[in-house]
Amino acid sequence: MFRYGTILLARRTFSAATSTRLAKKPAATSSLSPLLAGAALAATTTFALSQDSTVSAYATGAVKESAVRAAIADLIEKDAELRDDGTALTGTFVRLAWHCAGTFAKGDCSGGSDGGRMRFDPEASWGANAGLDIARRALEEVKEKFPAITYADLYTLAGVVAVEEAGGPKIPFRLGREDAASGETSPPDGRLPDADKGTKEKTISHIRDVFYRMGFNDMEIVALLGAHALGRCHPNASGYWGPWTRAETTFSNEYFRLLIEEKWYPKKTHANGRPWKGPDQFEDETGELMMLPADLALVQDLKFKKIVEKFAKDEDLFFREYAKAFSTLLELGVPFSPRKAWYQFW
């Protein structure tokens, strides 16, 4: 998620029909964008699609993943009803999970979601994490119901549930992250992606630097950034304003379609024609939708653009690639034992 956003799929397919779903799907999720990614750290690891994981950290059986999932989904739904404006916590939960995991560096295996360190400074105070205190506070309700689950698992699982509840793909996930006692082991600030580096060339380079550091390739980078289909930017958190799509509580490939089909202009005015005083961003001809400089980088770079075009045409492909990449991201730096392939029984 920018600052201001070997998998076995068990023959699972993800349906498209985006235009129909966008028109019919009820609003039930979102807030701030998620950009939000991780690396193929365990390229030989095979993940299984499991709803109730059993991991050594939960050997007592004190945490039933399905029950925690249901509580998170209920929290999102209730929040959406209270807001009654087409937004909810979905995007914020995806961003929370992303920012917990997106600090990983494959060079020394530092950072990542293990530890749940965003509860403490310095990570809690990073500018890149502005506004995520809202998500952390909201999840305290779930933590009270299930005290045995670690914050590290809770924060990442919240992102998974948010994507799935918004109509996105099933994300392979397992429990087992541990909580750190403080923020002393937090990585240095500056590892999360920025929305703008001043020029097109620098922004494109920055995106690759951040994601390559974690081990991702270009296909995975573009897939992960597709989470901007959810949520919106808020000036009080990021300085930027507005949603990426008109269905900000629905996970789809609409973000990619808009990048390709719409024309994007530098934002000049805001709210009744007053001069825009925020950071550089772009808007469509209606002024109702926006893109960040880092979003437009995906169509300004030819290699990225080819992938954007594929995802814009094929939502099933996007869903498959996103599920793999997001699952990988959330496990970066977590000392899980490799899963056995489905055909191994010993």
Side-chain angles (χ1 to χ4, degrees):
M1 175 107 14
F2 281 118
R3 179 168 183 166
Y4 287 119
T6 300
I7 245 173
L8 174 67
L9 288 175
R11 300 180 181 177
R12 185 175 187 87
T13 59
F14 303 98
S15 62
T18 302
S19 59
T20 301
R21 196 173 69 240
L22 292 179
K24 295 182 178 180
K25 184 168 180 75
T29 29
S30 163
S31 181
L32 249 166
S33 136
L35 209 65
L36 15 155
L41 171 68
T44 59
T45 300
T46 302
F47 298 98
L49 289 175
S50 170
Q51 295 298 310
D52 284 287
S53 306
T54 302
V55 184
S56 59
Y58 296 92
T60 61
V63 177
K64 187 173 179 61
E65 184 184 322
S66 58
V68 181
R69 283 174 172 266
I72 295 171
D74 186 59
L75 176 62
I76 292 172
E77 183 177 358
K78 288 180 178 178
D79 177 76
E81 291 174 353
L82 287 173
R83 297 187 187 201
D84 195 28
D85 61 357
T87 69
L89 285 165
T90 306
T92 312
F93 281 172
V94 177
R95 182 169 171 251
L96 174 67
W98 208 110
H99 284 217
C100 285
T103 59
F104 180 75
K106 65 178 182 179
D108 60 3
C109 290
S110 62
S113 64
D114 201 37
R117 292 175 293 259
M118 200 191 292
R119 318 187 320 278
F120 310 110
D121 284 330
E123 291 186 46
S125 300
W126 288 351
N129 292 333
L132 290 178
D133 56 314
I134 296 171
R136 297 194 301 270
R137 286 199 303 268
L139 288 170
E140 283 299 321
E141 175 184 321
V142 180
K143 177 67 172 175
E144 289 178 6
K145 293 179 181 178
F146 305 96
I149 191 171
T150 63
Y151 281 103
D153 276 339
L154 179 60
Y155 292 169
T156 48
L157 181 58
V160 168
V161 173
V163 169
E164 296 178 359
E165 290 295 308
K170 295 294 182 183
I171 311 296
F173 182 84
R174 50 180 166 172
L175 301 170
R177 295 161 188 80
E178 297 183 356
D179 282 342
S182 71
E184 292 181 0
T185 58
S186 288
D189 193 2
R191 289 189 176 183
L192 295 167
D194 289 322
D196 186 13
K197 282 299 184 181
T199 68
K200 175 182 69 175
E201 293 76 15
K202 289 181 179 179
T203 301
I204 292 171
S205 178
H206 171 69
I207 293 171
R208 284 198 169 95
D209 288 344
V210 168
F211 285 88
Y212 285 4
R213 185 202 71 228
M214 292 186 279
F216 283 122
N217 59 36
D218 284 359
M219 176 72 83
E220 293 164 324
I221 291 172
V222 177
L224 285 165
L225 299 191
H228 275 172
L230 297 174
R232 60 170 55 218
C233 286
H234 299 272
N236 61 347
S238 66
Y240 297 98
W241 176 88
W244 286 264
T245 75
R246 299 185 188 281
E248 58 186 278
T249 62
T250 299
F251 194 91
S252 72
N253 67 340
E254 185 72 355
Y255 166 76
F256 299 114
R257 188 191 67 79
L258 291 169
L259 270 175
I260 295 295
E261 297 181 7
E262 293 293 327
K263 292 184 178 180
W264 300 96
Y265 307 91
K267 185 174 179 61
K268 300 295 185 182
T269 60
H270 184 67
N272 298 320
R274 290 180 294 177
W276 170 247
K277 297 182 179 180
D280 290 344
Q281 67 177 83
F282 298 84
E283 61 185 7
D284 70 338
E285 60 182 8
T286 70
E288 296 172 356
L289 300 179
M290 73 97 201
M291 290 287 172
L292 303 172
D295 296 312
L296 290 189
L298 297 185
V299 291
Q300 293 167 337
D301 179 86
L302 293 181
K303 292 181 180 179
F304 283 153
K305 186 177 181 180
K306 290 179 180 179
I307 302 169
V308 170
E309 291 172 339
K310 289 181 180 180
F311 289 160
K313 294 177 181 178
D314 190 340
E315 188 177 73
D316 287 351
L317 173 63
F318 166 51
F319 275 27
R320 289 194 299 270
E321 294 300 327
Y322 184 83
K324 290 187 291 184
F326 195 45
S327 178
T328 297
L329 169 66
L330 300 184
E331 293 204 357
L332 293 175
V334 184
F336 285 135
S337 298
R339 293 184 188 270
K340 292 182 178 180
W342 64 271
Y343 53 81
Q344 289 183 303
F345 302 102
W346 58 90

